[in-house]
């Protein structure tokens, strides 16, 4: 009896085969909806908190936190169901010769393109809505390119984390149940917007938002911006009467008449500067490296999990 040798396509060929499949799903199974969704989310955030972004310390902290959340949200929704929805197919094709590295590589390329499009959409929407963006660059000659790289790293890192969850979860329901927990962790442990106990601060190093927010603040020269919260809170007391008079109102009038308001805002800012947000290329590069490192970790763990998919009896 003549024996037939079964030949399988190599990793590169399999990568492009699955990449083509992913783009067909993008066109014909409504996966393209993540792009208009990212535009809507960016528009809502720009409308809500974009007014003081890169204008004041408080507005920058809130705005960069919101931008980081946009990226994390986009990344999670891109891939949280990608693998678990075809888990049975992956298991069958792996037994038939599918290289897991090729399968994951196709997702990496596809998701990278998707994340890049979402970043472009986010920047365009913010620009159209008049949101102030960084005017000075640190790494490249173009500030928007620096900003885009940071937003891409945040989105792609979150995307690969969601892909890891999708590789672990058996069903799409399980994956979608895990996602809110991951979102809460990313929000709470960003390390800047919420006050954390000293013991919990090291956990912020595990989050995408911490490194993304830090890079965004540094790129916007956070420490050179005025701080307005002290002034605004004090202004609420201007009509307080003391011994029949309003001394605070008189003080505010004197400050305004002598153009001292900006000096006070900058003095207040100087007392609240954060060295980790300095306008420094070293800080931005370090944040990019952390995001890149976590992305690589998520990819490696995803490959390891899928290599044992045949043994999964769940």
């Amino acid at each position: 009896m003549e024996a037939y040798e079964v030949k399988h396509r190599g990793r590169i060929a399999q990568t492009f085969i699955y990449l083509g499949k992913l783009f067909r799903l993008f066109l014909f199974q409504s996966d393209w909806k993540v792009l208009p969704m990212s535009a809507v989310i960016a528009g809502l955030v720009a409308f809500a908190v974009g007014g003081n972004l890169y204008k004041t310390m408080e507005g920058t902290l809130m705005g960069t936190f919101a931008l980081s959340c946009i990226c994390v949200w986009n990344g999670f929704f891109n891939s949280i169901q990608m693998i678990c929805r075809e888990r049975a197919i992956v298991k069958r094709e792996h037994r038939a010769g599918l290289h897991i590295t090729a399968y994951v590589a196709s997702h990496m390329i596809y998701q990278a393109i998707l994340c890049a499009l979402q970043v472009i959409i986010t920047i365009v929407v913010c620009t159209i809505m008049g949101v102030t963006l960084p005017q000075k660059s640190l790494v490249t000659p173009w500030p928007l390119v620096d900003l885009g790289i940071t937003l891409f790293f945040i989105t792609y890192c979150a995307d690969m984390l969601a892909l890891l969850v999708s590789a672990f979860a058996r069903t799409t329901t399980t994956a979608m149940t895990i996602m809110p927990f991951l979102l809460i962790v990313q929000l709470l442990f960003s390390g800047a917007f919420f006050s954390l106990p000293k013991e919990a601060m090291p956990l912020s190093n595990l989050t995408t938002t911490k490194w993304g927010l830090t890079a965004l603040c540094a790129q916007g020269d956070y420490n050179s911006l005025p701080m307005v919260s002290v002034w605004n809170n004090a202004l609420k007391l201007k009509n307080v009467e003391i011994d029949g008079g309003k001394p605070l109102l008189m003080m505010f009038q004197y400050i305004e008449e002598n153009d001292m308001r900006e000096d006070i805002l900058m003095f207040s800012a100087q007392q609240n500067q954060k060295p980790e947000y300095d306008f420094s290329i070293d800080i931005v590069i370090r944040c990019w490296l952390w995001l890149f490192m976590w992305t690589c970790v998520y990819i490696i763990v995803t490959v390891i999990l899928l290599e044992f998919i045949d043994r999964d009896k769940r």
Side-chain angles (χ1 to χ4, degrees):
M1 181 181 294
E2 184 178 358
Y4 293 93
E5 182 182 356
V6 178
K7 294 184 179 180
H8 303 293
R9 291 182 180 270
R11 285 179 170 81
I12 295 178
Q14 287 188 5
T15 298
F16 284 100
I17 290 172
Y18 277 94
L19 189 60
K21 173 187 174 181
L22 291 171
F23 280 112
R24 288 193 295 273
L25 292 174
F26 176 84
L27 292 174
F28 301 117
Q29 289 198 6
S30 300
D31 285 358
W32 56 268
K33 290 182 179 178
V34 295
L35 297 182
M37 183 189 300
S38 64
V40 172
I41 295 173
L44 291 173
V45 169
F47 175 77
V49 299
N52 291 317
L53 179 60
Y54 296 124
K55 293 181 180 179
T56 66
M57 279 186 168
E58 301 88 341
T60 298
L61 196 59
M62 183 177 294
T64 52
F65 175 75
L67 281 177
S68 299
C69 290
I70 290 175
C71 295
V72 170
W73 184 272
N74 287 338
F76 278 2
F77 266 97
N78 285 350
S79 59
I80 194 68
Q81 300 184 63
M82 291 299 292
I83 297 177
C84 55
R85 71 184 181 185
E86 58 178 17
R87 190 175 186 85
I89 298 174
V90 175
K91 184 184 294 188
R92 182 175 66 250
E93 293 190 355
H94 184 235
R95 291 169 177 168
L98 167 65
H99 294 290
I100 293 299
T101 51
Y103 177 74
V104 174
S106 66
H107 279 284
M108 289 171 58
I109 297 170
Y110 172 75
Q111 297 298 336
I113 296 172
L114 206 57
C115 291
L117 292 174
Q118 289 173 322
V119 167
I120 293 172
I121 289 171
T122 299
I123 293 176
V124 169
V125 169
C126 289
T127 302
I128 291 174
M129 297 192 68
V131 175
T132 301
L133 298 176
Q135 302 299 310
K136 297 182 290 184
S137 61
L138 281 169
V139 183
T140 71
W142 308 279
L144 286 184
V145 174
D146 281 8
L147 177 67
I149 293 173
T150 299
L151 296 180
F152 175 80
F153 272 127
I154 301 170
T155 309
Y156 195 58
C157 186
D159 197 314
M160 292 299 102
L161 174 57
L163 194 69
L164 168 58
V165 173
S166 187
F168 171 79
R170 182 179 181 182
T171 65
T172 56
T173 302
T174 303
M176 295 301 291
T177 302
I178 296 173
M179 190 181 72
F181 171 75
L182 293 177
L183 283 172
I184 291 173
V185 170
Q186 293 288 336
L187 301 185
L188 290 180
F189 290 92
S190 62
F193 196 69
F194 295 100
S195 297
L196 297 173
K198 185 177 180 181
E199 298 78 10
M201 287 303 294
L203 295 176
S204 65
N205 293 332
L206 304 177
T207 66
T208 302
T209 47
K210 185 266 180 72
W211 301 111
L213 185 148
T214 300
L216 291 172
C217 284
Q219 289 171 324
D221 201 1
Y222 174 89
N223 287 331
S224 71
L225 300 173
M227 189 175 202
V228 299
S229 57
V230 175
W231 173 268
N232 290 339
N233 288 326
L235 198 61
K236 296 175 182 178
L237 304 175
K238 65 180 181 180
N239 291 319
V240 174
E241 293 189 8
I242 301 176
D243 295 331
K246 296 182 178 179
L248 291 178
L249 178 60
M250 295 174 60
M251 181 189 70
F252 285 122
Q253 289 174 343
Y254 176 82
I255 291 173
E256 293 287 355
E257 290 170 359
N258 291 274
D259 295 326
M260 298 171 60
R261 179 177 178 274
E262 293 301 320
D263 294 333
I264 292 175
L265 296 183
M266 292 306 301
F267 179 78
S268 177
Q270 290 171 6
Q271 312 311 309
N272 292 275
Q273 291 179 347
K274 298 182 179 181
E276 62 268 28
Y277 296 158
D278 281 342
F279 187 67
S280 167
I281 187 173
D282 293 334
I283 291 176
V284 174
I285 293 296
R286 185 174 73 248
C287 292
W288 287 359
L289 289 175
W290 270 96
L291 290 169
F292 178 76
M293 182 198 72
W294 283 121
T295 301
C296 292
V297 169
Y298 300 147
I299 292 170
I300 292 170
V301 176
T302 299
V303 171
I304 293 173
L305 286 175
L306 291 178
E307 286 288 358
F308 294 97
I309 194 171
D310 292 344
R311 303 180 185 180
D312 187 2
K313 304 300 182 182
R314 290 178 293 169

